[in-house]
Amino acid sequence: MPRIRYLKPEFFTDEDLAELPFEVRLFYAGLWCHADKAGRLEDRPKYLKAMIFPYDEADIDQCLDLLSRPKSDGQPFIVRYLADDGRRYIAIPSWPKHQSPHHTERDST
């Protein structure tokens, strides 16, 4: 379920993010709205495309690939992984630094 999230002013001046195409930057912001309390979400490209870019042509696999590459500090914007249950997920490593989810939000599973 999409959620209201914060974007700090530094988001717009991040030099690593600035190197990415416009649609990748906007997609990254959209991922934050779909992440749970711990900064994780299901890795479902078709669903994410429908939720974040419903009216636009966008290569979501390319967006996810570019966001998965290491930045200048060696860390990626996102980490894609396979859980023990066989489902694919995305984690946003910088999540705790930038988000303070509401205390009533359901815990991450």
Side-chain angles (χ1 to χ4, degrees), residues 23 49 53-60:
E23 67 271 8
K49 196 274 181 212
F53 288 133
Y55 306 114
D56 300 299
E57 292 296 322
D59 185 341
I60 299 307

Side-chain angles (χ1 to χ4, degrees), residues 27 30-31 34 41-54 60 64 90:
F27 181 73
L31 290 178
H34 291 275
L41 62 149
E42 288 187 85
D43 189 343
R44 296 173 49 202
K46 285 183 182 180
Y47 172 79
L48 292 170
K49 196 274 181 212
M51 293 292 101
I52 298 171
F53 288 133
I60 299 307
L64 291 166
I90 295 169

Side-chain angles (χ1 to χ4, degrees), residues 20-85:
L20 299 173
F22 178 77
E23 67 271 8
V24 177
R25 290 181 270 153
L26 184 57
F27 181 73
Y28 182 52
L31 290 178
W32 290 66
C33 294
H34 291 275
D36 67 12
K37 192 174 186 175
R40 294 186 292 253
L41 62 149
E42 288 187 85
D43 189 343
R44 296 173 49 202
K46 285 183 182 180
Y47 172 79
L48 292 170
K49 196 274 181 212
M51 293 292 101
I52 298 171
F53 288 133
Y55 306 114
D56 300 299
E57 292 296 322
D59 185 341
I60 299 307
D61 289 317
Q62 180 186 27
C63 290
L64 291 166
D65 179 58
L66 290 171
L67 290 168
S68 298
R69 294 181 184 174
K71 304 180 289 182
S72 62
D73 66 1
Q75 297 296 315
F77 287 103
I78 65 169
V79 174
R80 300 175 86 183
Y81 65 97
L82 185 65
D84 293 338
D85 63 4

